[in-house]
Structures are given as structure tokens and as C-alpha cells.
Amino acid sequence: MSAVEVTGVDKIFNAGKVAQVDALVGIDLVVEPGEFVSLIGPSGCGKSTVLRALNRMNDLIPGTRVTGTIAYHGMDIYAKDVDAIEVRRRIGMVFQKPNPFPKSIYDNIAYGPKVTGMKVSNMDDLVEESLRGAALWDEVKDKLKQSAYGLSGGQQQRLCIARTIAVKPEVILMDEPCSALDPIATSRIEDLMIELKQDYTIVIVTHNMQQAARVADRTAFFTAEAAEGHGDRTGHLVEFDETTKIFSNPADSRTEDYISGRFG
């Protein structure tokens, strides 16, 4: 069974109001367990909106609604009896800018397991395991009680990844996780992503074509254009295929134009 299956999804902001905006129209997307998928496309095409919809982060924005279905292992995550917090534990999120909590390095990792009520036999072991999983342990093992704000930007982003994996998700969503980092930190995060794909299903939004080509198994290209009956420009999925095919022999001329730099 697919890890995540998106079927006929429209994402509508300011639902029910005169100023309604349809951010996405008719999105179909299937992510298999253990797969690394990248979402690419020009700014404003709905990539991040799709990503946030996959673990209900857009619920936090008043006046939004989803039509269609987003299923996690066959379970409709927008069904009324589904706990959004549990969805976010199983489908974790790493944001564009590092956002450590104003706590110690140790407490950043321990926070999620504590608030979600995870049964943890030894928190010290879990903190170490999570930091090792994010390739950060050797750099911080002697300063776990120090503030996370004392870390560099790249270290903070790896800490956020460690915080995400501490609650044992299956799927990790990443929204341009390297865009705020310098080239050296970006390289470290990319190496980490390649390691993480051995254990997690990953969906990433990126504007970096080389990054998508290096790390993703499959790539989805989105664009924004007017759709009949929808007025404003809306996000559309143009094509979704093996990454090597998307970058070497795309099926749609709009994909080729974007990848070659003719627009976007």
C-alpha cells in the first residue's frame, strides 16, 4: 500500500468568502514507502501548499479547506475522527528556516516524545539515537544542556531533523531545508538526506534542480496557470516521473522549459 496517496485534491483558501482563492486544482500524487520524492516548479505554483497539506499543517491557517482525498496507508487523514497531531507525528515536517525551540539541545529532542506521550524506556538513549540519525551527535554530545541557539545554522537544521525523527515518523516532509544555509551546510544536509532515505519516506520541496537530481527517486513538476472556472492562477501538477526521465526526457514541454531555465 502507498505511503501517501493524493487524489483529486483542491486546496482552497478563504473558503466561503468572496475573496476565495484556489491554490491547487486536481492534484493526484502517489508516494511509495521508502521513496524520495522532490517537488519542483516556479514560485507560487503550490509546491509548499501540497507539502503542508500532507500532514495538515494548513489546518493552522483560518479559512482553508481541502477537497479530494489525502490518504496515509489508505487512511483519509482529513476524516473527522482522525487526530491531526497523530498525523503530524507519523508525517513529520522540517521547515525552510531552522526553528529550534528556546530550550537546550537535549530538551529540543526530548520535547516531542514527552508531549505526544511516547513510551520511552530511556530518554538519554533516544536523544543520542536521534542526534546520531541526524549526523549531529559527535558535534554536540558534550554540550547537550546548552541552548540550541548557540549552534550554527546548519547545525540547527540538523537538530530540527533530529527532533523530527525522535518521535519515530515514517514520512519526513522537507520544505526547502537548505535555502537558508551556506554551501557547506547545504552539502551536509544533502548527505544526511541521502542517509535518511534508507529509513524514511521523504518528500522535499526544492528550487535547486541539481539537488533534486542528486537525491530524488522521482520528481514532480508543478506550475501555476489559469484554469477554467477558477479565475486566478492556480497550482497544477504537470508531470510526475522518475527523476532521471524528468531531467533528461520530460514528457511535457513546460517541464523542459523550466528545467532548461527558459522560465521560472
Side-chain angles (χ1 to χ4, degrees), residues 16 60 86 93 146 149 163 171-172 174 177 238 242 262:
L60 305 176
E86 178 62 16
M93 171 78 85
Q146 295 181 20
Y149 289 163
R163 189 177 66 196
V171 180
I172 299 176
M174 296 184 173
V238 175
E242 298 292 328
R262 293 192 185 97

Side-chain angles (χ1 to χ4, degrees), residues 226-258:
E228 185 177 353
H230 290 277
D232 296 318
R233 290 166 61 84
T234 56
H236 297 263
L237 175 58
V238 175
E239 63 178 303
F240 182 32
D241 211 326
E242 298 292 328
T243 296
T244 52
K245 185 175 186 303
I246 289 289
F247 282 93
S248 63
N249 187 29
D252 193 290
S253 60
R254 291 170 294 180
T255 309
E256 183 175 4
D257 288 345
Y258 178 75

Side-chain angles (χ1 to χ4, degrees), residues 47-260:
K47 306 181 299 297
S48 292
T49 302
V50 170
L51 198 74
R52 291 193 298 267
L54 297 183
N55 74 342
R56 297 184 55 170
M57 288 299 297
N58 283 327
D59 288 12
L60 305 176
I61 304 174
T64 67
R65 66 180 173 88
V66 169
T67 61
T69 303
I70 299 178
Y72 169 75
H73 289 293
M75 175 190 70
D76 182 356
I77 66 171
Y78 282 88
K80 290 183 179 179
D81 60 344
V82 171
D83 182 359
I85 294 175
E86 178 62 16
V87 169
R88 293 176 196 134
R89 187 191 72 77
R90 295 173 182 247
I91 306 175
M93 171 78 85
V94 177
F95 296 94
Q96 185 174 14
K97 294 183 179 179
N99 61 337
F101 299 145
K103 301 175 181 290
S104 70
I105 295 168
Y106 185 102
D107 288 339
N108 263 268
I109 306 303
Y111 180 82
K114 287 179 179 177
V115 299
T116 58
M118 272 181 60
K119 293 182 179 180
V120 179
S121 58
N122 188 309
M123 186 62 76
D124 291 348
D125 288 346
L126 178 62
V127 169
E128 179 177 345
E129 176 189 344
S130 302
L131 289 168
R132 285 189 182 278
L136 190 58
W137 173 253
D138 289 341
E139 298 169 45
V140 303
K141 62 184 178 181
D142 297 324
K143 48 186 177 182
L144 296 177
K145 297 303 181 182
Q146 295 181 20
S147 171
Y149 289 163
L151 299 175
S152 69
Q155 288 174 323
Q156 287 186 13
Q157 191 66 300
R158 280 183 282 148
L159 178 68
C160 293
I161 293 171
R163 189 177 66 196
T164 297
I165 64 180
V167 295
K168 307 296 185 183
E170 179 194 349
V171 180
I172 299 176
L173 311 176
M174 296 184 173
D175 191 358
E176 297 190 63
C178 301
S179 65
L181 305 179
D182 61 57
I184 294 175
T186 294
S187 178
R188 294 293 300 274
I189 296 293
E190 282 190 16
D191 289 343
L192 175 57
M193 288 191 291
I194 292 170
E195 293 178 20
L196 290 173
K197 69 187 289 187
Q198 308 303 317
D199 300 308
Y200 301 93
T201 302
I202 300 176
V203 183
I204 181 174
V205 166
T206 181
H207 279 286
N208 187 324
M209 298 298 97
Q210 292 78 21
Q211 184 177 87
R214 283 191 295 265
V215 302
D217 300 311
R218 290 197 294 161
T219 294
F221 170 63
F222 289 79
T223 191
E225 55 190 31
E228 185 177 353
H230 290 277
D232 296 318
R233 290 166 61 84
T234 56
H236 297 263
L237 175 58
V238 175
E239 63 178 303
F240 182 32
D241 211 326
E242 298 292 328
T243 296
T244 52
K245 185 175 186 303
I246 289 289
F247 282 93
S248 63
N249 187 29
D252 193 290
S253 60
R254 291 170 294 180
T255 309
E256 183 175 4
D257 288 345
Y258 178 75
I259 290 171
S260 65

